[in-house]
Amino acid sequence: YYASVVLTENAGWQRESEPVHFTLGTYADRLTDPAKEIRVVEVDPWTGMQTEIPSQVSAVSSWSERMDDRGQPTTSFDVTFLANVPADSSKVYLIFYGNPRAKFPQYTSDLLVSGEGYGLTVENSFYKMHFQDMSGSIDEVYVKQGINKKLEHRLETNGAVQWNPDCYGPPRPWIHVSDWDPPDGYSRVDGPLFLMTNRWGQIPHYPEINVSITYIFYANNPYLTMI
């Protein structure tokens, strides 16, 4: 089986290695293991040539309750890939599934993750970043790209490069998520195309305030997404 996705570029920008997150729902009896079976194929808009590209599956969930004749067991998941779409143009991507004999794909990637707990180090061709051991906030940024400079702070608060969200309500102190030691909750998703960490909980000294922060680092991209 396959699903087709049409990506249209309407801002006049050449899109290269643009991250695309797509949620797909399938009939449960047509899919055994999304992490093994999913393959994404890029269709050349001029020649029609089809080429498999790296992808990453996450957030797999199943629903199996048949409430009435309109319901049917389903499996849903997110699939991420890096799209290349010319400016003011469109391209078709095919998401194949349904081969229970498929093996786990082995994709090469410039995204490297090392470390334990909150104190991870993430690196690609453009940068290398290190997180604080106690809070998981970004502590150092080493910029590659021929610049080869390390960016660090360490002049106030606890010295993190990225410290928000924050709160300041005198007479209580000015507190940031980089002051977590540790956060109340933590989750991590990683693979060949992206690393995502999510932290959440109360800000210290402010029990009435709950916040969360998500980092997403991509392969082949010079930026991160922070939510």
Side-chain angles (χ1 to χ4, degrees):
Y1 308 99
Y2 72 90
S4 61
V5 180
V6 180
L7 300 182
T8 300
E9 203 300 305
N10 53 18
W13 296 352
Q14 180 80 12
R15 305 288 180 161
E16 297 181 357
S17 296
E18 187 83 10
V20 174
H21 294 264
F22 185 77
T23 300
L24 182 65
T26 69
Y27 294 125
D29 59 358
R30 295 183 178 181
L31 183 63
T32 303
D33 187 340
K36 291 198 306 182
E37 297 178 38
I38 296 302
R39 299 293 188 274
V40 176
V41 169
E42 179 183 66
V43 181
D44 188 290
W46 292 282
T47 67
M49 181 177 295
Q50 300 180 12
T51 305
E52 181 184 349
I53 62 173
S55 60
Q56 181 174 331
V57 172
S58 59
V60 179
S61 64
S62 297
W63 181 85
S64 58
E65 297 181 11
R66 183 185 293 273
M67 300 179 64
D68 53 39
D69 291 339
R70 295 173 296 177
Q72 188 161 336
T74 59
T75 297
S76 300
F77 56 90
D78 291 347
V79 58
T80 301
F81 56 91
L82 304 181
N84 296 299
V85 181
D88 299 312
S89 183
S90 297
K91 182 179 283 189
V92 174
Y93 288 83
L94 305 176
I95 303 174
F96 286 87
Y97 63 96
N99 176 13
R101 296 185 300 274
K103 299 183 183 300
F104 282 102
Q106 300 295 322
Y107 298 122
T108 59
S109 173
D110 71 342
L111 186 65
L112 302 174
V113 181
S114 59
E116 300 292 337
Y118 307 107
L120 301 178
T121 297
V122 58
E123 178 177 6
N124 66 15
S125 301
F126 298 92
Y127 57 72
K128 182 177 182 179
M129 300 191 192
H130 179 70
F131 307 164
Q132 288 184 327
D133 294 335
M134 68 285 192
S135 72
S137 293
I138 298 173
D139 189 51
E140 294 179 352
V141 178
Y142 183 82
V143 183
K144 300 180 182 181
Q145 307 173 61
I147 299 172
N148 303 327
K149 296 290 185 181
K150 183 171 72 172
L151 306 178
E152 58 183 2
H153 183 44
R154 300 198 174 95
L155 296 177
E156 57 181 338
T157 65
N158 59 13
V161 172
Q162 191 282 313
W163 54 81
N164 287 341
D166 63 342
C167 183
Y168 182 39
R172 288 180 288 183
W174 189 9
I175 292 295
H176 315 74
V177 295
S178 57
D179 295 309
W180 272 332
D181 189 13
D184 296 335
Y186 177 74
S187 66
R188 168 180 166 183
V189 176
D190 52 336
L193 295 188
F194 72 89
L195 164 72
M196 179 171 64
T197 66
N198 178 233
R199 296 166 290 145
W200 64 89
Q202 293 179 349
I203 292 184
H205 302 288
Y206 293 85
E208 71 275 27
I209 298 178
N210 285 277
V211 299
S212 69
I213 182 167
T214 299
Y215 292 152
I216 308 178
F217 303 85
Y218 293 103
N220 302 326
N221 277 277
Y223 58 83
L224 66 94
T225 297
M226 184 171 62
I227 304 170

